[in-house]
Amino acid sequence: MKKLVLMAAAIVAVSFASCGNKAANAEQAAADSIRIADSIAAVEAAAAEAAAEAAAEADTVATDSVAVVAE
């Protein structure tokens, strides 16, 4: 009977240990989500800026080509 009680106590102890600190994990997950969202926003902003610069450069090239043809 003692072995059964010890086995049950061991199972309970392992169960509590496996649960961990859910509140700390939730806070860390929220911080990670915010950090990842900020990184994605920064990459999207840089891509939009690069696309705008490429479009402006393409407009300049088209204007220069028209000027050369007109001469």
Side-chain angles (χ1 to χ4, degrees):
M1 195 68 181
K2 275 186 172 178
K3 290 182 181 179
L4 290 176
V5 171
L6 289 175
M7 183 63 83
I11 290 172
V12 169
V14 169
S15 297
F16 282 127
S18 67
C19 290
N21 191 356
K22 298 287 184 182
N25 292 340
E27 291 175 8
Q28 183 63 35
D32 289 344
S33 298
I34 293 169
R35 182 182 50 82
I36 291 170
D38 289 344
S39 298
I40 291 171
V43 169
E44 288 175 348
E49 184 177 325
E53 289 177 6
E57 186 176 317
D59 289 342
T60 304
V61 171
T63 304
D64 291 344
S65 299
V66 171
V68 171
V69 173
E71 291 178 357

